[in-house]
Amino acid sequence: MISFNQPPVVGGEEEYIDDAIKSRKISGDGKYTKLCNRWLEQSTGAKKVLLTTSCTHALEMAALLLDLREGDEVIMPSFTFVSTADAFIMRGAKAVFVDIRPDTMNIDEKLIESAITEKTKAIVPVHYAGVSCEMDTINDIAHRHGIKVVEDAAQGVMSTYKGKALGTLGHYGCYSFHETKNLSMGEGGAILLSDEHEIERAEIIREKGTNRSKFFRGEIDKYTWVSLGSSYLPSELNAAYLYAQLQKCQSVYDDRMRNWNMYYEMLKPLRDRGVIELPVIPEGCVHNAHMFYIKAKDLEVRTKLISYLKSNGIDAVFHYIPLHSSPAGIKYGSFAGDDNYTTKESERLIRLPLYYGLKSDQVEFICEKIGGFYR
Ligand SMILES: *Cc1c(COP(=O)(O)O)cnc(C)c1O
């Protein structure tokens, strides 16, 4: 069986974890957490990066930083992972779902403005498959309405929009280092801050609502509980794993990109025949080869293709059940405007195996089988 995903192991992880153990510092904010924060700040240009226990938790931190109240509204696509919505709904907000563009599966920037009400507090663009949303338009809308932008850049580490790192284009950016993402620490993530005046508040939220970070820097002589917060600080063991990955990020990127390009080239003839569709990368966007997906004609063909691939030892998968049609989505959110593409396009999408270490001949085999299905 060719598995759909395998967590990246690049070499060096064990050595750093071992070093963390030997240093007798395994809780958070030690050497490796700081090295990762700094590495990410330097490579993205963000004012501040704080490692978190997950992207979900980075989004929760953004929701706390936004100071959301009961009844506030947050605009987002319905075609996304549950955490995009959950983090804000936990603070009492309502999710307002906007339709996606069929080419990139990202929120349709042209439909956002008509979903804004006096209760709207934020827009949460999700950079699907590591391909950027149309951020100039989204930031312009947010600016004109005095609302904030929280980028769900869970899939967008090492991607750019007009030369800038995803996660640095809005007020807050959220990364994931889950084992299914390009770079990993098992479970983990990061929040990227664009405003240096918010660094202290973010540190407090991440340290259970205490000003402990200031205390450790010697800026105050005792620490205390100052606001709402939670335990969003990852262990040094996880950070040590990530630091090894960050240092080898280029080889992860190159390996994934080689396979992504190979899929694209080998499946082009099927696209030209009009039987499948391939991902679209708009001008100005450089992606990170996070995902390779194709689109079948409809749900029926997709179901057959997935089981055909399974019977040939290939684990291809689909996602997401649109949030607005899930039980929690119905309870906590609503769709603004028409669902022209969210349901229809999500039912056609198939993700093909793509991970660090996937072999060229495996990609070739998968493409041949897809070709065989359509013969
Ligand atoms: C993976 C993912 C998340 C959640 O990331 P975790 O680190 O597992 O919490 C959130 N949003 C999107 C779009 C994702 O792909």
Side-chain angles (χ1 to χ4, degrees), residues 52-59 79-84 126-128 152-155 174-181 186-189 290-291 319-320:
T52 58
T53 30
S54 64
C55 179
T56 304
H57 284 167
L59 289 160
F79 181 72
T80 182
F81 187 61
V82 296
S83 300
T84 314
V126 178
H127 304 299
Y128 184 68
D152 182 338
Q155 303 175 12
C174 303
Y175 281 171
S176 175
F177 299 113
H178 185 259
E179 75 167 29
T180 53
K181 303 302 199 283
E187 301 274 358
H290 172 60
M291 189 190 303
H319 71 174
Y320 304 102

Side-chain angles (χ1 to χ4, degrees), residues 61 80 109 129 191 210 212 234 238 250 266 269 273 286 299 331:
M61 282 185 65
T80 182
E109 67 281 357
I191 184 165
T210 72
R212 197 166 155 190
N238 298 69
Q250 196 59 44
M266 291 197 71
R273 264 172 60 197
V286 176
L299 180 59
K331 192 165 163 196

Side-chain angles (χ1 to χ4, degrees), residues 326-374:
S326 65
I330 292 166
K331 192 165 163 196
Y332 299 117
S334 62
F335 207 95
D338 297 327
D339 170 10
N340 287 321
Y341 296 111
T342 299
T343 301
K344 189 168 139 243
E345 297 301 301
S346 71
E347 287 179 347
R348 303 170 56 205
L349 188 133
I350 307 172
R351 302 175 63 187
L352 302 177
L354 184 59
Y355 52 84
Y356 176 70
L358 180 69
K359 302 273 180 296
S360 304
D361 56 355
Q362 293 177 306
V363 173
E364 212 169 310
F365 174 76
I366 294 163
C367 293
E368 276 163 16
K369 290 296 165 195
I370 295 170
F373 175 82
Y374 283 106

Side-chain angles (χ1 to χ4, degrees), residues 43-318:
S43 77
T44 63
K47 280 266 158 35
K48 185 73 196 168
V49 178
L50 295 170
L51 277 197
T52 58
T53 30
S54 64
C55 179
T56 304
H57 284 167
L59 289 160
E60 284 181 22
M61 282 185 65
L64 282 160
L65 285 162
L66 285 171
D67 237 335
L68 291 178
R69 272 173 221 181
E70 197 75 34
D72 284 346
E73 294 176 359
V74 177
I75 293 173
M76 64 188 71
S78 168
F79 181 72
T80 182
F81 187 61
V82 296
S83 300
T84 314
D86 234 339
F88 301 94
I89 286 162
M90 290 222 304
R91 309 274 6 115
K94 186 183 150 213
V96 175
F97 301 117
V98 166
D99 207 10
I100 52 167
R101 296 162 43 146
D103 59 349
T104 56
M105 305 298 281
N106 282 335
I107 191 166
D108 188 339
E109 67 281 357
K110 293 188 292 304
L111 302 175
I112 291 173
E113 196 140 24
S114 56
I116 291 176
T117 71
E118 70 275 8
K119 289 184 178 154
T120 308
K121 285 287 147 59
I123 305 168
V124 188
V126 178
H127 304 299
Y128 184 68
V131 179
S132 182
C133 296
E134 193 35 63
M135 290 308 292
D136 279 351
T137 309
I138 292 171
N139 281 335
D140 175 61
I141 294 167
H143 185 72
R144 280 190 283 106
H145 290 270
I147 57 183
K148 298 225 159 133
V149 173
V150 181
E151 294 175 76
D152 182 338
Q155 303 175 12
V157 179
M158 291 184 80
S159 293
T160 56
Y161 172 78
K162 300 187 179 175
K164 289 191 183 137
L166 300 195
T168 65
L169 301 149
H171 295 91
Y172 311 116
C174 303
Y175 281 171
S176 175
F177 299 113
H178 185 259
E179 75 167 29
T180 53
K181 303 302 199 283
N182 291 21
L183 302 170
S184 182
M185 54 196 278
E187 301 274 358
I191 184 165
L192 286 72
L193 305 172
S194 61
D195 182 352
E196 56 197 334
H197 299 107
E198 291 191 322
I199 297 172
E200 197 178 312
R201 269 185 73 215
E203 283 178 341
I204 288 167
I205 288 168
R206 193 175 71 141
E207 271 282 20
K208 300 99 185 163
T210 72
N211 52 8
R212 197 166 155 190
S213 299
K214 273 184 107 167
F215 173 71
F216 282 135
R217 284 196 296 266
E219 294 165 24
I220 45 176
D221 58 12
K222 59 177 187 289
Y223 78 84
T224 186
W225 182 29
V226 290
S227 84
L228 276 185
S230 192
S231 185
Y232 295 132
L233 185 58
S235 141
E236 276 288 287
L237 300 177
N238 298 69
Y241 192 101
L242 180 65
Y243 192 57
Q245 303 250 318
L246 294 177
Q247 292 189 308
K248 299 250 178 77
C249 68
Q250 196 59 44
S251 51
V252 174
Y253 181 95
D254 292 344
D255 184 73
R256 297 184 75 108
M257 194 56 84
R258 180 180 46 81
N259 285 326
W260 196 100
N261 287 328
M262 191 164 166
Y263 270 130
Y264 196 89
E265 289 307 314
M266 291 197 71
L267 294 171
K268 243 180 177 167
L270 289 176
R271 180 201 56 192
D272 296 342
R273 264 172 60 197
V275 291
I276 63 166
E277 279 172 39
L278 295 179
V280 173
I281 315 295
E283 222 186 294
C285 299
V286 176
H287 72 106
N288 57 359
H290 172 60
M291 189 190 303
F292 198 91
Y293 66 85
I294 62 174
K295 285 190 206 161
K297 185 167 142 272
D298 53 28
L299 180 59
E300 198 190 328
V301 178
R302 178 179 79 175
T303 307
K304 283 185 186 150
L305 177 53
I306 289 176
S307 60
Y308 178 82
L309 293 174
K310 282 246 151 71
S311 68
N312 281 285
I314 299 160
D315 191 18
V317 303
F318 68 84

